[in-house]
Amino acid sequence: MKTRTRSTKDLQSKQRAGSYPRATYLIKELERAVRRRLEAIVEPLGLTAVQYTALSVLATHPGMSSAQLARRSFVSAQAANEMVAALERRGLIRRSAAAEGGRALWIHLTPSGERTLARCDEQVDQLEGQLFGGVTRREEALFRDMLRTCREAVRPRTAAAEPPSGRA
């Protein structure tokens, strides 16, 4: 019995020694650092990181509903409605009724929204250049593939059927 307990403890010690800091910790640490930098980029343009994400999503997937935009921007439906209203007041997006009728409104970038997004994207491109400055293009592509694989592995089954969230 002692041998089994010892070997289990030895195995756990070896796993911990090779696994720390945990990948989940490193991912969160990276997310926080990138988020701070992203906020610094978009704040002078009067945006939040979530609003930038929404504009990025709409650039690659024009004509979404508010509910679809909420899911792809990582916010609740209520937060998305508030965000959409704010972006619309600023003239960065427009909503139009669906051709088939109904209550759904499709959201699109306006020319002003496209220009604002382009200004942000220039700086975000520089940020990503810094992020990947120490790796080859092949390693960057591998990293992106690994992130997608990990994301799919932990995504709830109902959300896994939804396509990836675009550029943001």
Side-chain angles (χ1 to χ4, degrees), residues 146-160:
M146 291 167 54
L147 287 173
R148 285 184 195 100
T149 299
C150 292
R151 176 191 64 199
E152 293 306 315
V154 298
R155 182 177 273 177
R157 294 288 178 220
T158 57

Side-chain angles (χ1 to χ4, degrees), residues 50-150:
V50 173
Q51 289 172 332
Y52 167 73
T53 299
L55 294 178
S56 295
V57 168
L58 288 169
T60 55
H61 304 285
M64 302 182 108
S65 69
S66 185
Q68 291 168 322
L69 185 60
R71 284 189 294 276
R72 290 180 180 249
S73 299
F74 316 109
V75 297
S76 68
Q78 181 180 355
N81 286 332
E82 293 170 11
M83 174 181 62
V84 166
L87 293 172
E88 189 174 37
R89 279 192 303 275
R90 292 197 48 211
L92 301 176
I93 62 169
R94 64 178 168 77
R95 291 187 273 188
S96 59
E100 60 274 356
R103 293 178 25 188
L105 295 174
W106 303 129
I107 306 168
H108 297 270
L109 291 178
T110 63
S112 177
E114 291 171 356
R115 287 190 300 274
T116 300
L117 178 60
R119 289 177 61 193
C120 292
D121 280 345
E122 288 176 17
Q123 294 178 63
V124 173
D125 288 346
Q126 292 175 10
L127 172 59
E128 287 196 5
Q130 290 176 331
L131 180 66
F132 293 111
V135 301
T136 66
R137 288 189 188 272
R138 183 177 175 278
E139 290 168 328
E140 177 184 345
L142 180 61
F143 180 71
R144 289 175 190 272
D145 287 343
M146 291 167 54
L147 287 173
R148 285 184 195 100
T149 299
C150 292

